[in-house]
Amino acid sequence: MSEIKKKKSLGVVQIICIIVAAFFMLVQMFSWSSLFGRLPLSTLMRYIPGLLDCSTMVLVPMVFGAVYSKKKVHPTEAFRFWIMAVVTLVLLYLVNFMKRPGSFNMWKLWGVFFPVLTSTSVLLAGLIFSMLAQPYIYELQHRITTKQNLLLLSALTLVGFATNAGTMIFNYSIYGVYLILYFAWGMFLANVKIPKKVFGWTIGAGIVSFFVMFIGVPGFNGVYWYQRLSGRSGVYSWNPRFLSNVTSPFLFLMVLAAFLIFRKVIVSFSFSAKEMRFFIPVVIFMDAPIIGGFVRSFRFTNSAGFNKFLMIIIMTIAAFILDYLYERYLFKFKPVKNAITFFNKHDNLAQIVEDLWGKFTAWVVENRVRLLTWGWFYILSFVSFLIESDNLRIQITTATDINAVIFLLGTRFFAIILTAIFLDAMFAIFYFITTRYWTSTVLVSVITIGWAIANKIKLNLRGEPIYPTEIDEIVNWKTLLPMVGQKTVIMVAVALVIIIALCVFLEIKFPIKKKGSWKHRGIWALLSLLLFMTPMRFNHDGGMIYHINRGFDNKQSFRNPERDIQINGPLLNFLNYFDLQIMNKPANYSESTIKHLDQKYSKLADKINKTRKNTLKDQTIVYNLSESFVDPYTFPTIKIDPKTPNPVKFIQSMKKRATYGSMLSAGYGGGTANMEWETLTGFNMGMFKSTLTPYVQIVPNYDFYPTIGMDFNYKSAVHPFIGTYYSRIEDYKRFKFNKFVYLGSKYKIIDQKKLGKSTYNSDFTAYANGLKQINSMKGGQFINLISIQNHMPYNNWYPNNEYMGKVSGELFNTAAVREQMATYIKGTQYTDKAVKKFIGQIDKIKKPITIVFYGDHYPSILSQNYTGKYPVQMHSTRYFIYSNKYAREHGAKSKLTHNTNFVNTSDFTAMMLEQTNSKVTPYQALLTEVHEKLPAITINFNGDKGFQLVDQKGHFVDPKKLTSEQQAILKDYEMVQYDMTAGQAYGLKAKGFYKMNN
């Protein structure tokens, strides 16, 4: 009985020792540096947690070595460690994903299945490497004498430190190979008799070593930082914490002392392999890359210290449960059991590797078609990314570009993988339909490369990729083809013929039999279709698909289309736009809130209207969007030969006789419809959550959409070009426009005049048709006049161009750019002449006419990448608001002088109403407040989300510095825009809120 009790007591002590060991290991899940930094001698104490971490990495292999020193260990044990680690990581990451879905990341998940090859855990890798090396260490230690063992291990310890001087940073699992040395120390020390004198000297050396590190680590850290701050060369080549590095002899002596103290306990208790396996989940919990954020996400009480203690207890219990389940079920699970049986059939590691290699090569041969297909889709995906690069360079920041191949392979690996997954899904669908392998593969390849090239063409032409909303623009193929170019069209046609011939050749010459039954292929095709539905949830914050998508590094900024498509590729970039989230719902949004704002701004409107004499419906208002018009002299770094005539002399002269300044554009090289939408509605693109086209993604959701035209009995639009772009025909019907004059409409475009070789109607044509519309009505009216003359491309249209060869500047560094710029400048000269003629004509008309002239965006001549260096400048175009002589004689102002230097298109309505001295609606009173009391609102030029504020000097304003009154106005504006873009349009129900009551 006494023997049984003795064994039971030993068992209890063993369990206690295991629990204590697990507790001290799991303590390292948390960072304790700040806590130790608050203790006495804080400068010294804050290094203790790091010292303990390194000590654990040395002590644990030594303990494992001692336990596994009694006999040779079969390589199967290393497999057990690995499979336990993988399953533990899978479970841990699954729980972490449910608890913190935003932390999902494929780079970290990669380490779940390859914990040894990645940076999952150096200690785990060291234990697995040690298990594989144990038989060879066992043989060596039993073949040589105790003294030889001691000398060999001591020499290796010193050499290991001397060769790297502590610079080996144990952040990568491969460094676990070094831990085999300490495992060997543990095996050796478990089987030798240590004299008391040696034991005492070792303990003393350990204590001295501790104080050497306790004082020396912060001391050398101070030296290191002194050298860095002094600008010493070579300072980065040494590790200031070399004394406490895992390779440090001082650290080893300290750990050795601790090991010898517990040596008898370890040896006498005779821990078994089963008991030691318990520590594998503990090691994972201690080292997993996600563990810090995971354990901190649990908050049980208000005490941070008590929360940490509870989490350590919980994770210890979880380790015990997992250890039990693994022994009970995991190793009996058929695939795992078969793997263990396979390993047990071989005597050593070499035989296992040889047999595994044979099975692997046989599997590769058997599945070569599938593997080659996947490999091809990865290459195809990678090539599609490369096509979008700018001469194999990618702009990773606003100021830095990098080699595209290095960047994509190094940091966009999983975005390329995700694209390849979608390509494979596309293949599965085609394969189910055609049952032809080569046909399906070639179809996927053609679509992928063709789509990439199409996006690149639009990127070069417009500075933006193809959006889902533009697919219906295919109806405009006759006007799209000239933009693409005849050579490109011919090349596409030839390529299609070659591809068809290639398909026929491959199917006949190298036929590949169908794999699987039609039911199996049908299931894969169905799953593939479901995969293509996931983009509908890509942008839904907080959703599972949202987080998984972002975990693959598919992160769309929606602010810089060129950079987005370069880092996400043409396919993912397209899919990212399928379901855009328009705006975040403001707090307290409701019908009652909108009614309250109606009442609030009705009072303000009444106050404003007391000083206003005119009624808007009696005025003739022309909103003139001048395509891509920018004052050429405002381009960054540009130098135009002073001997050449000023191309925009008349428009510049409007500064003295009209409201004049810079308009902040939300687009670059494109986005015309967005600027037009801002102008007509008074809403602002900067308020949106992502880049979108309201004409296509918002306006069609409403039967009627409020614009400035509501206040007129007659409103029309004139555009001497195709009218179907951006759904203008249908949207203008929703705006209740009475007429839309465009090429192909029932209303004839008169005086069609093209300049030089340009295919676009000139600004003379635009103004001739605008003048015709003005003269067609006796009373007031609203006209939305859109020109097209200066639309890209800029292909040396104009003969006898005096600006050719007269343009220079830092950003105009190629002949092609200089030629395009010279063409563009000549175009602005024609615009200037047309504007001058038009102003002269309306000045002669005896009715009040006010024109709001503005360029919608920069031309896409300079690379969009330069906008990072010149964000405001390259988003600023010229505008002016001019009231003709008759209007000025009947109450209109000549010009406004307050808040005119930098405005947004959404400000034009408030400014026009003030200049024409016209009464306002409650909504227009809000717009007046926004214009008069807030900096100009625009999109975030420097970031991915939100808006930016720009003051009258062109400087950014921090929204946090707005006054409480300004904050309130901004919130009211945001509320109203949400209501009319993503909300329930309660404002339309409030009579008189948008439209003036007659």
Side-chain angles (χ1 to χ4, degrees):
M1 286 293 292
S2 61
E3 189 66 28
I4 295 174
K5 288 182 178 180
K6 186 177 181 180
K7 288 183 178 181
K8 284 185 177 180
S9 63
L10 284 173
V12 171
V13 175
Q14 277 183 308
I15 293 174
I16 292 173
C17 289
I18 290 174
I19 293 174
V20 171
F23 181 87
F24 280 102
M25 290 175 69
L26 292 175
V27 163
Q28 297 174 47
M29 294 186 299
F30 300 95
S31 174
W32 300 94
S33 296
S34 58
L35 175 63
F36 277 78
R38 293 194 294 269
L39 297 174
L41 300 174
S42 60
T43 303
L44 303 175
M45 294 298 293
R46 62 192 177 95
Y47 293 96
I48 293 297
L51 184 62
L52 294 177
D53 290 347
C54 293
S55 300
T56 302
M57 203 175 294
V58 175
L59 180 60
V60 171
M62 290 179 69
V63 173
F64 269 75
V67 173
Y68 285 93
S69 65
K70 300 172 182 64
K71 61 179 181 180
K72 285 186 178 182
V73 177
H74 196 275
T76 304
E77 190 68 8
F79 171 75
R80 290 179 186 271
F81 282 12
W82 177 80
I83 194 66
M84 289 175 69
V86 169
V87 175
T88 303
L89 284 165
V90 169
L91 294 174
L92 178 63
Y93 275 69
L94 184 61
V95 176
N96 180 69
F97 179 68
M98 291 187 291
K99 177 67 176 175
R100 301 188 309 140
S103 65
F104 177 77
N105 184 282
M106 279 300 297
W107 285 107
K108 293 179 180 178
L109 191 63
W110 186 257
V112 168
F113 301 102
F114 302 97
V116 177
L117 298 179
T118 58
S119 304
T120 301
S121 172
V122 179
L123 182 54
L124 171 69
L127 294 177
I128 293 175
F129 292 146
S130 297
M131 287 297 105
L132 296 175
Q134 194 272 352
Y136 305 102
I137 298 172
Y138 182 87
E139 284 188 1
L140 177 62
Q141 289 188 347
H142 283 76
R143 191 163 58 243
I144 61 179
T145 65
T146 300
K147 188 175 182 179
Q148 289 173 331
N149 269 299
L150 179 62
L151 290 172
L152 177 61
L153 291 172
S154 299
L156 289 174
T157 303
L158 292 172
V159 169
F161 174 71
T163 54
N164 72 83
T167 57
M168 189 184 294
I169 308 299
F170 285 76
N171 293 332
Y172 302 99
S173 295
I174 193 64
Y175 287 144
V177 172
Y178 194 88
L179 302 186
I180 296 174
L181 173 62
Y182 299 120
F183 182 87
W185 268 110
M187 290 181 64
F188 168 69
L189 294 171
N191 296 292
V192 296
K193 184 177 180 181
I194 300 177
K196 290 184 179 180
K197 189 175 181 180
V198 174
F199 178 83
W201 278 105
T202 304
I203 300 300
I207 294 172
V208 171
S209 295
F210 169 76
F211 282 104
V212 168
M213 290 184 290
F214 183 70
I215 298 172
V217 170
F220 279 109
N221 192 64
V223 173
Y224 173 81
W225 279 102
Y226 171 76
Q227 291 183 339
R228 284 192 61 174
L229 295 174
S230 300
R232 306 290 179 85
S233 61
V235 65
Y236 298 96
S237 62
W238 68 286
N239 179 11
R241 301 188 185 185
F242 70 96
L243 291 178
S244 62
N245 185 268
V246 174
T247 65
S248 170
F250 294 100
L251 181 73
F252 172 69
L253 287 173
M254 185 186 74
V255 174
L256 177 61
F259 177 84
L260 292 182
I261 292 172
F262 295 100
R263 174 176 170 273
K264 288 185 178 181
V265 178
I266 298 169
V267 174
S268 62
F269 284 174
S270 301
F271 289 99
S272 65
K274 288 184 179 181
E275 290 163 338
M276 296 308 294
R277 290 172 196 156
F278 158 79
F279 287 100
I280 299 303
V282 174
V283 169
I284 294 299
F285 292 157
M286 182 181 74
D287 277 352
I290 63 167
I291 198 64
F294 175 72
V295 294
R296 287 193 300 271
S297 67
F298 291 90
R299 296 180 181 178
F300 306 105
T301 69
N302 292 327
S303 172
F306 190 63
N307 283 333
K308 290 181 179 180
F309 176 78
L310 285 176
M311 280 308 302
I312 293 171
I313 297 299
I314 291 171
M315 300 306 282
T316 302
I317 294 172
F320 274 108
I321 293 173
L322 289 177
D323 180 58
Y324 170 78
L325 293 175
Y326 293 158
E327 292 294 337
R328 184 74 179 269
Y329 300 106
L330 178 62
F331 297 134
K332 295 178 182 179
F333 183 53
K334 190 172 182 180
V336 177
K337 186 177 180 180
N338 291 341
I340 293 174
T341 302
F342 167 79
F343 285 121
N344 285 333
K345 288 180 180 179
H346 301 82
D347 295 330
N348 55 55
L349 181 60
Q351 292 178 355
I352 293 174
V353 171
E354 182 182 2
D355 202 354
L356 280 176
W357 178 253
K359 290 182 179 296
F360 174 73
T361 53
W363 178 83
V364 169
V365 172
E366 182 181 355
N367 295 275
R368 63 187 180 279
V369 173
R370 187 174 302 171
L371 293 173
L372 288 172
T373 303
W374 289 341
W376 170 244
F377 288 155
Y378 180 83
I379 295 172
L380 198 61
S381 173
F382 175 65
V383 170
S384 72
F385 276 67
L386 279 184
I387 289 173
E388 309 307 331
S389 65
D390 186 9
N391 295 321
L392 295 182
R393 305 291 295 182
I394 289 179
Q395 193 82 11
I396 57 173
T397 68
T398 56
T400 308
D401 63 5
I402 193 172
N403 181 275
V405 176
I406 295 173
F407 176 75
L408 292 173
L409 293 178
T411 64
R412 305 303 298 163
F413 177 76
F414 284 108
I416 298 173
I417 287 289
L418 183 58
T419 299
I421 291 172
F422 276 102
L423 296 184
D424 187 65
M426 192 188 306
F427 169 82
I429 296 170
F430 287 149
Y431 193 41
F432 176 73
I433 296 172
T434 67
T435 70
R436 302 288 181 180
Y437 172 83
W438 287 114
T439 301
S440 302
T441 303
V442 172
L443 275 173
V444 172
S445 304
V446 170
I447 291 172
T448 304
I449 299 300
W451 183 250
I453 293 173
N455 274 272
K456 184 61 176 178
I457 290 172
K458 186 171 184 244
L459 203 63
N460 290 336
L461 294 177
R462 301 287 296 275
E464 60 183 10
I466 299 172
Y467 299 121
T469 53
E470 296 176 319
I471 295 300
D472 58 358
E473 298 290 350
I474 195 67
V475 298
N476 301 310
W477 63 273
K478 290 183 179 180
T479 58
L480 290 172
L481 288 181
M483 296 183 190
V484 173
Q486 187 177 8
K487 290 183 179 180
T488 303
V489 174
I490 294 173
M491 289 174 62
V492 169
V494 171
L496 286 174
V497 172
I498 294 174
I499 289 164
I500 293 172
L502 179 64
C503 276
V504 175
F505 172 77
L506 291 172
E507 291 289 359
I508 296 174
K509 191 70 175 178
F510 303 102
I512 294 179
K513 296 181 180 179
K514 295 188 290 290
K515 294 288 184 180
S517 64
W518 71 269
K519 290 183 179 180
H520 181 265
R521 297 196 304 273
I523 291 172
W524 274 112
L526 179 60
L527 292 175
S528 298
L529 285 172
L530 292 176
L531 178 66
F532 275 102
M533 294 177 66
T534 59
M536 299 302 295
R537 306 294 297 181
F538 273 6
N539 299 312
H540 284 250
D541 288 10
M544 182 182 296
I545 292 175
Y546 170 83
H547 290 299
I548 292 175
N549 175 54
R550 293 181 74 83
F552 273 90
D553 282 339
N554 180 25
K555 299 176 182 179
Q556 196 86 354
S557 72
F558 299 109
R559 289 302 195 202
N560 187 334
E562 184 174 9
R563 184 181 64 184
D564 280 347
I565 195 172
Q566 287 181 345
I567 66 175
N568 293 324
L571 177 59
L572 294 182
N573 187 78
F574 182 76
L575 297 178
N576 286 335
Y577 279 92
F578 261 102
D579 184 38
L580 292 178
Q581 300 299 293
I582 298 172
M583 288 181 70
N584 289 323
K585 185 177 180 180
N588 303 319
Y589 170 71
S590 65
E591 186 172 8
S592 61
T593 302
I594 298 300
K595 286 182 178 179
H596 169 72
L597 292 178
D598 177 31
Q599 295 169 359
K600 177 180 177 180
Y601 288 100
S602 290
K603 294 178 181 178
L604 179 61
D606 291 340
K607 182 179 178 181
I608 294 173
N609 291 339
K610 288 180 180 179
T611 61
R612 302 281 178 93
K613 297 180 180 180
N614 293 327
T615 302
L616 192 59
K617 69 183 181 66
D618 297 327
Q619 308 285 316
T620 295
I621 306 297
V622 181
Y623 276 7
N624 174 207
L625 185 156
S626 183
E627 174 62 45
S628 301
F629 181 85
V630 180
D631 184 335
Y633 292 100
T634 65
F635 275 71
T637 77
I638 194 169
K639 294 179 181 178
I640 303 174
D641 192 331
K643 295 179 181 179
T644 59
N646 182 346
V648 289
K649 183 178 180 179
F650 177 78
I651 291 176
Q652 287 181 352
S653 73
M654 297 300 288
K655 185 175 183 178
K656 297 179 181 179
R657 50 198 293 231
T659 302
Y660 181 93
S662 296
M663 184 212 80
L664 297 171
S665 174
Y668 180 83
T672 298
N674 294 344
M675 300 301 94
E676 185 184 342
W677 178 82
E678 282 191 336
T679 308
L680 295 176
T681 65
F683 296 134
N684 194 289
M685 295 296 296
M687 292 288 131
F688 290 136
K689 190 175 181 180
S690 58
T691 298
L692 48 78
T693 304
Y695 268 14
V696 180
Q697 291 149 321
I698 293 178
V699 176
N701 297 329
Y702 302 85
D703 294 328
F704 167 69
Y705 206 85
T707 67
I708 184 62
M710 292 175 63
D711 289 322
F712 296 84
N713 294 330
Y714 196 89
K715 46 267 185 189
S716 63
V718 177
H719 184 36
F721 191 58
I722 304 300
T724 52
Y725 281 107
Y726 301 110
S727 302
R728 279 194 179 101
I729 296 175
E730 295 301 318
D731 285 352
Y732 286 168
K733 291 178 182 178
R734 293 181 174 89
F735 296 159
K736 304 302 180 185
F737 279 15
N738 300 90
K739 180 195 291 187
F740 180 23
V741 184
Y742 60 92
L743 288 179
S745 70
K746 62 181 180 180
Y747 308 104
K748 184 180 179 182
I749 295 289
I750 66 170
D751 292 347
Q752 293 192 39
K753 179 181 180 182
K754 297 178 175 63
L755 303 173
K757 300 177 183 177
S758 175
T759 59
Y760 299 121
N761 276 314
S762 68
D763 284 355
F764 295 101
T765 299
Y767 291 123
N769 284 269
L771 188 65
K772 177 186 177 183
Q773 182 58 41
I774 291 173
N775 291 325
S776 68
M777 302 290 297
K778 291 183 178 180
Q781 63 172 311
F782 174 78
I783 303 170
N784 189 41
L785 177 61
I786 311 165
S787 73
I788 191 65
Q789 173 191 292
N790 293 320
H791 195 284
M792 50 69 58
Y794 309 100
N795 295 336
N796 194 12
W797 303 128
Y798 312 116
N800 303 317
N801 185 350
E802 62 267 43
Y803 301 101
M804 197 63 67
K806 304 297 183 180
V807 179
S808 61
E810 182 183 342
L811 304 190
F812 303 85
N813 48 18
T814 66
V817 169
R818 289 191 291 271
E819 179 182 286
Q820 290 180 57
M821 192 62 199
T823 302
Y824 173 78
I825 294 174
K826 185 64 177 179
T828 63
Q829 185 186 57
Y830 284 124
T831 297
D832 191 70
K833 293 178 180 178
V835 170
K836 182 178 181 179
K837 179 180 178 182
F838 182 60
I839 294 295
Q841 290 169 326
I842 65 173
D843 264 338
K844 296 176 183 178
I845 299 175
K846 298 301 181 181
K847 60 180 177 180
I849 303 171
T850 295
I851 176 174
V852 179
F853 171 95
Y854 65 100
D856 56 338
H857 54 70
Y858 253 66
S860 56
I861 296 174
L862 299 177
S863 170
Q864 190 175 8
N865 294 330
Y866 291 127
T867 59
K869 188 174 182 180
Y870 307 97
V872 174
Q873 190 173 354
M874 291 183 69
H875 284 93
S876 297
T877 65
R878 186 64 70 218
Y879 86 93
F880 66 79
I881 303 175
Y882 177 76
S883 296
N884 72 343
K885 183 179 179 182
Y886 188 91
R888 296 195 303 273
E889 291 172 349
H890 290 78
K893 298 178 181 179
S894 296
K895 60 187 297 187
L896 304 180
T897 58
H898 179 65
N899 284 359
T900 59
N901 287 342
F902 283 91
V903 303
N904 191 275
T905 45
S906 57
D907 291 315
F908 285 156
T909 291
M911 297 173 72
M912 177 274 295
L913 288 165
E914 182 181 359
Q915 179 156 326
T916 57
N917 202 12
S918 298
K919 299 182 184 300
V920 300
T921 66
Y923 173 60
Q924 291 163 354
L926 170 60
L927 295 182
T928 301
E929 287 282 272
V930 170
H931 169 64
E932 290 184 351
K933 296 183 178 180
L934 292 178
I937 306 171
T938 187
I939 65 169
N940 188 344
F941 297 144
N942 298 322
D944 296 338
K945 295 181 179 180
F947 61 87
Q948 281 183 313
L949 302 174
V950 178
D951 65 17
Q952 291 303 295
K953 294 182 179 179
H955 300 149
F956 292 120
V957 177
D958 186 349
K960 295 179 182 178
K961 294 182 179 180
L962 295 179
T963 65
S964 57
E965 180 188 15
Q966 289 175 315
Q967 294 280 6
I969 295 171
L970 189 60
K971 288 181 180 179
D972 291 347
Y973 184 52
E974 181 183 14
M975 184 73 71
V976 172
Q977 178 161 330
Y978 177 84
D979 179 59
M980 205 59 238
T981 56
Q984 301 300 315
Y986 296 128
L988 290 178
K989 301 177 184 178
K991 187 177 181 180
F993 182 68
Y994 286 108
K995 183 178 180 181
M996 182 70 68
N997 289 321
N998 296 324

